[in-house]
Amino acid sequence: MEILQVALQVVLGITSLLLTLLILLHRGRGGGLSDMFGGGVTSNLGASGVAERNLNRITVILAVIWITSIVVLGLITKFNGA
């Protein structure tokens, strides 16, 4: 059980970093902090609709993996402590 816990912690760490990077890659919807850091400048990097949809899909899949690993780690912790 300890190996599973360590593996899930590694998955949690990797998905946390990847989620942070992917969220920062999303195109800003105008105003706020995205314009402060150069989000108002037009860029061809996120111009493609297909690229944006794929980025959304990957972000959602990583978020589901992230949430699942948190729930499973919580259950392991709860039942190991008893």
Side-chain angles (χ1 to χ4, degrees):
M1 200 60 110
E2 190 173 318
I3 295 173
L4 178 64
Q5 192 172 6
V6 171
L8 283 172
Q9 287 174 349
V10 169
V11 167
L12 184 63
I14 291 171
T15 55
S16 296
L17 291 174
L18 288 175
L19 269 175
T20 303
L21 292 174
L22 287 176
I23 289 171
L24 289 175
L25 283 176
H26 276 83
R27 186 174 24 178
R29 298 284 189 243
L33 290 175
S34 64
D35 285 341
M36 183 187 306
F37 296 113
V41 179
T42 58
S43 172
N44 290 333
L45 187 64
S48 172
V50 174
E52 189 71 24
R53 278 195 303 265
N54 287 337
L55 186 62
N56 287 340
R57 287 180 188 139
I58 294 170
T59 305
V60 167
I61 290 169
L62 272 176
V64 168
I65 294 170
W66 185 76
I67 291 170
T68 305
S69 64
I70 289 175
V71 169
V72 172
L73 273 171
L75 289 173
I76 288 173
T77 304
K78 179 180 179 181
F79 291 118
N80 272 350

